Amino acid sequence: MEKTVLHIENLTNGLSLSRGKKLVLQENLHLRLQSGQFVCLLGPNGAGKSTFLRILMGFQPALAGTISYDEQKLKDISLKELSHLAAVVLTDRFSDPYLTAMDVISLGRYPYGSLIAKLNTEDTHVIQQIVNTLNIGDLMEKVFRQLSDGEKQKVLIARALVQDTPFIFLDEPIAFVDSPGRIEIMEMLSDIAHKHHKGILMTTHDIETALEYADILWLMNRGKPIETGIPEDLAMQGKINDYFDKKAIQFDRFSARFRLQDKKTSATLFIKNNSLETFWLWKALSRKGFKLVNVETFPEKGLGFYFENREFILLHDHKPIRRFSNIQSVLAEVEHYLDI
Amino acid sequence: MNKSRNFISWFVALSFAALALFIANLWFGSVLINWGKIFQVLFHPEKTQSTAQVIVLSYRLPMAVTALATGIILSLSGLVLQTLFRNPLAGPSVLGISSGASLGVALVVLSSGLFHFELTTFPLLNNLTIIVAAFAGALFVLAIILVVSARVGNVITVLIIGIMLGYAVSALVSVLQFFSRSAELHAYVLWGLGSFSKTTILQSVMLLVTAMAGWGIVLFFAKPLNALLMGESYARSIGIPVQSIQRILILLTGLLVAIGTAFTGPIAFLGLAVPHLARALFKTSQHNILIPGTAILGANLALLCNLIAKMPGYDISLPINAVTSLIGAPVIIWVIIKSRHIKF
């Protein structure tokens, strides 16, 4: 399939304020997004993610630089043409009491219709197909504002899909969605990017989810250039901490999670982390602030855990000293053994 | 599509209801005229020379036509403005246009006392002068609104400025009232109560043509109006030039309200209540259904209000605004309580 590419060159992200003042968020951005890629634009609140999306959509002008869809510059593209190039999922709320999910999705076909607000057979066919793919048939007749946040996002994604554009931009689509819903939406978006060959750019401040699903991350923070790369590289190189510069909270490269620094205990525990049980034990102990080291064989000195015969076994200097049937009991008693 | 078939049967039923109400408007009044005579007056006017002819042709018929047309004009304007401003309490009065019409009329009627010329001595001129004054006043406010909307670009700002203009204009009117004599004041207050009976048959037909034309034009905006339900950004993203659509629709509804108000005086609540009734009845927010639905409901309600205002069988009649408010206000309350959807 032919590739469509969004080029961003020399762009200055920011806002024009009143009286000629400007708020510059980032300068000299060079980025490209192509169809088939699922990109997450990550950054803390106030980094300028939404502003950036608004600029890409032509809702507001860039302070400097050019954006082009393939060879065509954004400023030369008419609203009508743009509606065939990019579809959006926004954070704008609307609460009309009778607007159904079907009404919302139908709006995605408007760029294709005539003056009359009626769907033709092709429109109906496209909508039906997308509705089946996303498995949201049972939502269609429901009133949009009565749907859950996760369902709303699915309907909005369906609306963007029926618009049949090479690019889809989503602003914080998982912000108010519960964890299973997040996974569902992220799977959905990554599927759409790869199978339907669309360039998807979504903003989020949920790093852990983005790391897991995005093909490429764009890291954004105020006054810094945007850092791009595949999630694993960025995480491994410790770049993620640079973009979320909160002193007390650090991104843990080993667990791929954020955590508070400087917890009270700093005792080291060795864990033979080779099963599901030890994985959860690891999570629990690290939540309590223990420094954990993953080992194959335990060292001569120190405390260590391994899992055997449905029990967590605590080792002290190679000697098993205590067995625990669950993690709660480990947490309750582990501190007593630290002073040994 | 169950919904649209359902709508068509409702629309047909409401059309018949409007026809029935229209005939009832010709039939009932302080004098009851029998069926045969009405028929004769309408279709063989050359054969009759009677008071019945005068009553039906120069009084009841123009009044019914005016009610029908005004019902359509105000309800459609209300629908468009509610969607445009994304505000369920928007209506024809929010743009300050009816206040503008009041100012025009107040200037003419109330200042006639100050400058010692008697409008009341030329009844025909009087009627026309007031229509022209109301229209000029309404256009004056509409012009300000359009200039403002071209500058600020934010539709909510336009809404607030329209409401504020309305207050400012009302303040001017009250100053004029304060300095005017009681005869002129009475004439002005009467105009302010609104009436469907101030039109000649020719004027009422012109009003109906305007209403039908407005209906036809608004239908072409069903699609952008549907898109605006999701907000300006989504509408833009599907290729709708939001700002120019907003300006065109403000101009269109402004003109419709200006024309309507010029002929009838301010009519309360119809424009605000009917779109809500239509949404509740047709259970949709899609304008391809709501536009015809609101228009036909508006026609029905205006004719019904007019019929009630005439107090058939009695010698007196009520001011139409009292009736529309007494019916309109409970409708709004009922809609709010039933669907609890007026939310900000």
Side-chain angles (χ1 to χ4, degrees):
Chain A
M1 204 180 284
E2 204 182 324
K3 272 194 175 139
T4 314
V5 187
L6 171 67
H7 299 275
I8 295 161
E9 275 149 31
N10 235 338
L11 190 87
T12 303
N13 183 26
L15 294 161
S16 294
L17 306 174
S18 58
R19 279 181 249 125
K21 281 186 195 160
K22 283 175 183 172
L23 173 66
V24 175
L25 296 165
Q26 287 91 22
E27 285 179 294
N28 296 321
L29 301 180
H30 291 270
L31 297 158
R32 54 182 266 139
L33 170 68
Q34 65 190 36
S35 48
Q37 278 180 341
F38 180 26
V39 177
C40 283
L41 176 59
L42 262 178
N45 292 328
K49 304 186 294 283
S50 300
T51 307
F52 185 69
L53 272 199
R54 294 183 63 80
I55 290 172
L56 289 189
M57 272 309 295
F59 288 169
Q60 64 190 62
L63 295 180
T66 54
I67 295 160
S68 35
Y69 287 83
D70 282 334
E71 301 307 315
Q72 214 183 357
K73 291 211 169 78
L74 178 62
K75 59 171 186 275
D76 302 328
I77 300 175
S78 72
L79 264 186
K80 183 93 187 157
E81 288 170 310
L82 191 59
S83 69
H84 290 256
L85 285 169
V88 284
V89 172
L90 303 168
T91 50
D92 299 20
R93 307 201 143 229
F94 41 93
S95 60
D96 187 281
Y98 296 106
L99 196 69
T100 62
M102 180 62 192
D103 294 337
V104 170
I105 294 173
S106 305
L107 277 170
R109 293 305 293 173
Y110 273 26
Y112 300 89
S114 58
L115 210 57
I116 302 151
K118 211 164 162 77
L119 300 172
N120 62 29
T121 41
E122 196 204 330
D123 294 333
T124 326
H125 178 71
V126 171
I127 291 172
Q128 201 51 52
Q129 228 174 4
I130 304 279
V131 165
N132 290 343
T133 315
L134 302 193
N135 199 15
I136 52 171
D138 51 332
L139 302 180
M140 298 304 278
E141 296 303 318
K142 289 191 182 159
V143 171
F144 182 80
R145 68 167 195 171
Q146 289 170 354
L147 301 176
S148 73
D149 284 318
E151 291 170 333
K152 279 182 185 165
Q153 290 300 333
K154 282 195 227 166
V155 170
L156 289 173
I157 290 167
R159 193 211 63 84
L161 271 178
V162 300
Q163 205 173 327
D164 198 16
T165 53
F167 295 101
I168 299 177
F169 303 135
L170 305 98
D171 198 4
E172 298 285 358
I174 53 171
F176 298 101
V177 181
D178 58 17
S179 326
R182 281 176 189 216
I183 293 167
E184 211 176 346
I185 287 169
M186 293 304 275
E187 295 268 4
M188 191 182 269
L189 290 174
S190 137
D191 249 28
I192 292 164
H194 302 144
K195 289 188 191 147
H196 299 241
H197 207 69
K198 298 201 183 276
I200 295 185
L201 174 63
M202 71 169 253
T203 67
T204 179
H205 47 254
D206 183 346
I207 298 174
E208 288 150 27
T209 312
L211 275 177
E212 210 156 320
Y213 290 96
D215 297 327
I216 291 171
L217 292 183
W218 293 358
L219 299 178
M220 178 182 252
N221 204 345
R222 268 197 188 198
K224 288 182 185 174
I226 287 184
E227 189 80 48
T228 66
I230 70 160
E232 292 76 9
D233 276 342
L234 292 174
M236 195 174 67
Q237 293 158 6
K239 293 253 168 74
I240 288 171
N241 262 334
D242 301 345
Y243 280 81
F244 288 80
D245 45 8
K246 293 222 162 56
K247 293 244 161 52
I249 298 170
Q250 289 277 312
F251 184 73
D252 181 350
R253 282 190 246 175
F254 296 100
S255 66
R257 289 173 63 100
F258 277 88
R259 60 185 58 269
L260 275 171
Q261 286 294 291
D262 305 324
K263 286 245 181 138
K264 50 189 188 298
T265 54
S266 56
T268 304
L269 294 174
F270 300 95
I271 296 185
K272 192 169 176 182
N273 190 356
N274 58 358
S275 67
L276 184 65
E277 289 76 8
T278 50
F279 167 77
W280 288 106
L281 178 69
W282 181 293
K283 274 180 98 78
L285 288 171
S286 75
R287 176 159 58 83
K288 286 288 173 194
F290 290 99
K291 220 178 267 169
L292 303 173
V293 180
N294 189 2
V295 288
E296 268 305 311
T297 48
F298 289 95
E300 292 289 318
K301 292 268 169 206
L303 288 170
F305 279 101
Y306 67 99
F307 186 79
E308 205 176 72
N309 296 329
R310 301 211 203 134
E311 280 181 322
F312 295 102
I313 295 153
L314 175 61
L315 287 178
H316 177 238
D317 301 346
H318 267 294
K319 287 193 293 281
I321 55 171
R322 182 86 164 80
R323 289 163 194 273
F324 301 95
S325 60
N326 59 30
I327 297 173
Q328 187 178 4
S329 54
V330 174
L331 293 186
E333 295 186 38
V334 65
E335 307 230 353
H336 301 309
Y337 295 94
L338 287 176
D339 302 326
I340 300 174
Chain B
M1 291 311 254
N2 203 1
K3 220 180 224 170
S4 60
R5 192 172 308 144
N6 201 2
F7 166 69
I8 289 168
S9 32
W10 266 112
F11 188 82
V12 171
L14 283 169
S15 303
F16 279 113
L19 186 67
L21 279 168
F22 188 86
I23 292 167
N25 265 278
L26 299 181
W27 195 1
F28 293 113
S30 38
V31 189
L32 281 175
I33 299 168
N34 74 42
W35 253 123
K37 270 223 174 102
I38 290 176
F39 190 78
Q40 209 173 35
V41 166
L42 286 178
F43 298 102
H44 305 285
E46 68 287 344
K47 283 191 195 160
T48 40
Q49 276 292 336
S50 63
T51 45
Q53 190 184 16
V54 176
I55 292 174
V56 171
L57 277 191
S58 50
Y59 190 73
R60 288 188 189 171
L61 185 61
M63 194 177 184
V65 174
T66 304
L68 176 77
T70 311
I72 293 171
I73 285 177
L74 293 179
S75 321
L76 277 182
S77 306
L79 173 68
V80 170
L81 291 167
Q82 282 170 9
T83 302
L84 207 57
F85 294 121
R86 303 188 76 196
N87 190 323
L89 289 178
S93 60
V94 294
L95 289 175
I97 289 165
S98 37
S99 307
S102 310
L103 178 65
V105 172
L107 276 174
V108 171
V109 174
L110 301 179
S111 64
S112 69
L114 291 179
F115 299 111
H116 303 289
F117 69 91
E118 298 291 329
L119 265 170
T120 36
T121 46
F122 308 104
L124 192 73
L125 189 65
N126 180 9
N127 178 9
L128 205 64
T129 315
I130 285 178
I131 289 171
V132 171
F135 190 60
L139 281 192
F140 168 69
V141 172
L142 179 60
I144 297 179
I145 297 281
L146 286 175
V147 170
V148 167
S149 69
R151 292 265 165 103
V152 297
N154 179 345
V155 78
I156 299 302
T157 316
V158 176
L159 173 74
I160 293 167
I161 288 171
I163 293 171
M164 290 305 126
L165 260 179
Y167 283 127
V169 166
S170 304
L172 276 180
V173 171
S174 62
V175 170
L176 283 172
Q177 281 177 314
F178 185 75
F179 286 108
S180 56
R181 297 178 308 188
S182 64
E184 280 82 28
L185 200 58
H186 183 72
Y188 174 74
V189 168
L190 268 186
W191 181 85
L193 289 175
S195 166
F196 293 143
S197 64
K198 285 180 291 201
T199 46
T200 64
I201 182 73
L202 183 68
Q203 288 166 347
S204 71
V205 170
M206 276 163 50
L207 201 57
L208 187 61
V209 170
T210 308
M212 291 301 175
W215 183 348
I217 296 170
V218 170
L219 260 181
F220 279 103
F221 289 91
K223 204 167 133 166
L225 282 169
N226 282 348
L228 280 172
L229 290 176
M230 285 183 71
E232 293 176 28
S233 298
Y234 274 112
R236 246 193 92 111
S237 82
I238 52 176
I240 286 163
V242 173
Q243 286 209 342
S244 37
I245 293 281
Q246 282 170 341
R247 270 172 222 156
I248 293 168
L249 286 176
I250 288 175
L251 175 67
L252 181 68
T253 50
L255 274 178
L256 283 174
V257 174
I259 294 169
T261 311
F263 285 104
T264 64
I267 303 290
F269 273 106
L270 271 185
L272 183 58
V274 174
H276 288 293
L277 272 178
R279 287 187 199 101
L281 181 61
F282 302 119
K283 305 234 178 324
T284 184
S285 54
Q286 299 298 290
H287 289 77
N288 31 341
I289 287 179
L290 277 186
I291 290 167
T294 301
I296 195 73
L297 258 183
N300 271 293
L301 208 64
L303 286 168
L304 179 68
C305 286
N306 194 44
L307 197 61
I308 295 171
K310 285 208 276 189
M311 305 274 291
Y314 292 90
D315 276 345
I316 51 154
S317 64
L318 298 172
I320 187 71
N321 253 338
V323 181
T324 53
S325 301
L326 281 175
I327 292 183
V331 162
I332 298 283
I333 294 169
W334 169 74
V335 168
I336 292 172
I337 291 173
K338 185 155 182 284
S339 59
R340 272 166 281 152
H341 74 251
I342 297 197
K343 247 173 71 174
F344 292 96

